[in-house]
Amino acid sequence: MKNLLFLLFALLLFAACTTTTTPEAEAEAEEEIVNPIADSLTADLTAFYERGHINGFAVAVVNEDKVLYQNGFGFSDVHAKAAYTDNTVQNIASISKTLIGIALVKAQEMGKLKLDDPINDYLPYAVVNPNFPEDPITIRHLTTHTSSIIDTEVYDGQSYIISDRQHPSEGRNQGSVEYFKPHSEDLPMATFLQNVLDENGEWYSKDIFLDKRPGTFFDYTNIGATLAAQVLEYATGENFADFTTQHILTPLGMKSSGWSFDAIDFAQHSTMYADSITELPFYSLVTYPDGGLRTSSADFGLYLQELIRGYAGNGIILTKEGYEMFYEQQMNDSQFEERDAEWTYNDEYDMGVFIGFAAETYIGHTGGDPGVSSFMFFDKDKKIGRFLMVNTNINNEEGWNEFFGIWEKMKEYEDRL
């Protein structure tokens, strides 16, 4: 620490004694002052990586004005010794749902739908809770997970599809997940949803609906989220991936992000891991809007910046009024069986439009899929946000201690950055 302070003092003294100060020199001097803080955070995060439970991860710390810090650690491909960088791409699981929310509000601003519209105004078949057949399910019910639609074993059993893009197997320790479906059984999102939700569908069951009136009870549902994206497609006449690329990814400059392997630079995509030594096959989701965004920490930091700007009334994707709608908290105690106010990053304490609120301070979303854990939250008072994504299943307490240690270490540096 003494050496560091001496170095900083020497740099400042040198700058003060220089007869000519250019803007470039001032910027360089500022960089010299800031770098030691970033370097210190990098060293601390590297120490967490060296615990050995996560093969690769990336982080970003941002405010509404700029990216304060971003970096990658470990390997995106252990076998090939390919580094995990801030440009490495992977799927981020359920954080993807926040883009469904932004897209729906954007569509309302465009006059294509209203959040309080019944979903059956747009669908080519009827989705009805048989326990409450007279009560319409609305788009807003889907966005707050109060639609009474729930995930059953059909979701896991039919949604995850092994990709036809795979590493050569030689020398690799490869595993799989029992509910992954072969690539030959891939099917369109619309077909999946109709099979599940149409009373004449192949996988339909009354068990897909709670014995709760739509709008009255919170139950987190991936199928409901995907249905919201499908409603948007019917309302706008556009493919969900195309709509979000045009209205969200492209305006924010998220050039490395997309909803399919074809939409991103596959050479930058991370391998996903069942544990620290076992590879998972590359996979996709039939229900891709609920968890299939593929992005890098460099790209996603831009998105998190926009969420912070939007909360402050300065966003570029939605109007000020649109963001107020997106962030309007809509839940109460009666809609929960249990409501945890103690967990700092509980994104299910309250809901906006597919955006979660903890009881205090934080707004964001979490994500989990095979080989994926991800966190995205910002402090609504400080207007500083963090993003973390990892490429390895976390299977034990030590692994979770590593994950949350990384997360809290970023928090420790927020103000210093």
Side-chain angles (χ1 to χ4, degrees), residues 109-288:
E109 290 189 333
M110 296 166 63
K112 301 295 186 179
L113 56 77
K114 293 182 179 178
L115 293 183
D116 291 313
D117 288 343
I119 60 175
N120 288 338
D121 287 356
Y122 301 94
L123 297 173
Y125 56 92
V127 177
V128 178
N129 183 331
N131 304 300
F132 301 93
E134 303 303 317
D135 288 58
I137 297 170
T138 69
I139 299 172
R140 189 181 300 277
H141 294 157
L142 296 175
T143 70
T144 57
H145 299 284
T146 60
S147 67
S148 75
I149 297 169
I150 63 172
D151 294 339
T152 63
E153 67 278 359
V154 170
Y155 177 78
D156 282 343
Q158 301 295 335
S159 185
Y160 293 87
I161 305 294
I162 295 176
S163 172
D164 56 354
R165 299 180 185 236
Q166 297 300 330
H167 288 302
S169 60
E170 183 178 354
R172 293 176 180 268
N173 186 357
Q174 294 184 307
S176 190
V177 176
E178 61 179 316
Y179 51 78
F180 278 11
K181 305 290 285 186
H183 183 70
S184 60
E185 296 187 27
D186 196 4
L187 74 167
M189 180 174 76
T191 303
F192 171 90
L193 289 170
Q194 188 161 1
N195 281 345
V196 173
L197 296 168
D198 185 345
E199 65 177 355
N200 297 312
E202 180 180 352
W203 305 318
Y204 176 83
S205 167
K206 291 182 179 180
D207 293 340
I208 200 77
F209 297 96
L210 291 172
D211 189 14
K212 301 282 186 180
R213 193 178 302 277
T216 65
F217 191 78
F218 177 92
D219 200 308
Y220 188 91
T221 166
N222 293 287
I223 292 175
T226 305
L227 182 59
Q230 182 73 79
V231 168
L232 181 136
E233 290 193 341
Y234 286 121
T236 63
E238 295 185 54
N239 174 276
F240 176 79
D242 292 341
F243 186 91
T244 50
T245 298
Q246 178 183 353
H247 295 290
I248 302 174
L249 303 183
T250 298
L252 294 178
M254 298 173 66
K255 298 178 181 179
S256 299
S257 303
W259 295 97
S260 68
F261 291 117
D262 291 337
I264 52 96
D265 180 0
F266 186 71
Q268 295 293 324
H269 201 289
S270 180
T271 299
M272 315 310 291
Y273 292 88
D275 52 47
S276 60
I277 61 173
T278 308
E279 294 181 1
L280 289 171
F282 290 112
Y283 66 90
S284 60
L285 295 169
V286 173
T287 60
Y288 73 89

Side-chain angles (χ1 to χ4, degrees), residues 41 44-49 51 54 57-62 69 73 95 297 300 304 308 343-347 358 360-367 373-379 382 384-390 394 398-415 417:
L41 175 55
D44 285 347
L45 296 183
T46 299
F48 279 107
Y49 163 72
R51 295 185 182 186
I54 296 172
F57 68 92
V59 302
V61 182
V62 306
Y69 179 87
F73 299 83
I95 294 176
S297 66
F300 206 75
L304 181 52
I308 298 171
W343 171 227
T344 305
Y345 304 106
N346 176 17
D347 59 347
E360 298 179 3
T361 306
Y362 287 102
I363 302 172
H365 214 293
T366 63
S373 291
S374 56
F375 261 37
M376 175 202 73
F377 285 93
F378 68 88
D379 186 314
K382 293 164 60 176
I384 297 178
R386 286 170 278 155
F387 173 64
L388 166 62
M389 63 182 186
V390 310
I394 301 174
E398 291 83 3
W400 283 115
N401 286 340
E402 182 177 340
F403 182 90
F404 285 112
I406 294 165
W407 184 250
E408 290 302 310
K409 184 59 65 174
M410 287 193 288
K411 177 184 178 182
E412 182 182 318
Y413 277 79
E414 282 179 351
D415 291 332
L417 290 166

